[in-house]
Amino acid sequence: MTGDLSRTVRLVAILNLAYFGIEFAIAVRIGSVSLFADSIDFLEDASINLLILVGLGWAARNRARLGMLLAGVLLVPALATLWTAWQKLHLPVPPSPVPLTLTAMGAILVNLSCALMLARYRHHGGSLSRAAFLSARNDVLANVAIIAAGLVTAFLWNSAWPDITVGLAIAVLNADAAREVFSAARREQAES
């Protein structure tokens, strides 16, 4: 199973890194907090999956330590999002809703594919595979919210607030995933 998990994690890392570039460029161009948060999350997911790939062959105690490190990595997008939201509050211009929505639709396809690939391994490999699965799952939820923000901005309320709100919600999701991964790593460390 470790060979299959390694191939899956490698593919997930490549997909996340590729879509990071696309989403980051669009986020900067249209000034979107939620797309910025999600793009940084793609970069974080690629990093996590590369670290997982390295740590899969390690002893349980070292995997638990890596799991604790990954919990800290999961907090990085949350902090970057808070900073971006703070900046956006000074100039609350709404992002263009069409590129926002279309980019989030592309992201949901990538994230859903990754979550489905990782779902069968979420209970194998301890906190490492759990971290990868939770990241992908949370990203699907975030993408649905970004699509909703784009639609609200386009049809109901031409404001920066739907985008800012979703960006902050993504930060909360990342913080909760970090807590779950840290707890799983602590259990692994206690058991080893």
Side-chain angles (χ1 to χ4, degrees):
M1 173 148 316
T2 303
D4 289 342
L5 178 57
S6 294
R7 281 187 291 281
T8 300
V9 168
R10 186 178 301 114
L11 178 58
V12 167
I14 291 167
L15 289 171
N16 276 282
L17 190 57
Y19 208 77
F20 156 74
I22 294 167
E23 195 170 46
F24 183 80
I26 295 170
V28 169
R29 193 179 55 126
I30 67 171
S32 170
V33 173
S34 61
L35 282 185
F36 174 82
D38 198 49
S39 72
I40 296 302
D41 192 66
F42 269 111
L43 182 60
E44 168 253 328
D45 288 350
S47 302
I48 282 178
N49 282 286
L50 290 173
L51 285 173
I52 289 168
L53 194 59
V54 168
L56 280 176
W58 293 359
R61 188 167 193 77
N62 290 332
R63 282 196 319 267
R65 287 183 183 136
L66 183 58
M68 289 180 197
L69 174 68
L70 291 178
V73 172
L74 284 168
L75 289 175
V76 172
L79 297 174
T81 300
L82 291 176
W83 176 254
T84 304
W86 177 253
Q87 300 258 332
K88 186 73 169 184
L89 289 173
H90 295 303
L91 186 60
V93 177
S96 179
V98 173
L100 176 69
T101 305
L102 292 176
T103 305
M105 287 175 161
I108 204 168
L109 291 175
V110 171
N111 285 317
L112 187 57
S113 297
C114 292
L116 291 172
M117 285 188 278
L118 292 166
R120 61 188 269 215
Y121 302 107
R122 70 178 177 254
H123 299 298
H124 305 286
S127 60
L128 298 182
S129 58
R130 183 130 182 95
F133 171 73
L134 287 172
S135 270
R137 181 206 64 190
N138 287 351
D139 294 344
V140 170
L141 298 173
N143 296 142
V144 169
I146 294 170
I147 291 168
L151 294 173
V152 166
T153 302
F155 298 110
L156 299 174
W157 187 25
N158 189 22
S159 168
W161 284 104
D163 181 57
I164 292 170
T165 303
V166 169
L168 293 174
I170 291 170
V172 170
L173 272 176
N174 283 327
D176 186 57
R179 181 194 56 77
E180 280 190 56
V181 170
F182 187 79
S183 296
R186 293 277 302 207
R187 282 191 304 276
E188 275 182 311
Q189 187 175 41
E191 291 169 3
S192 64

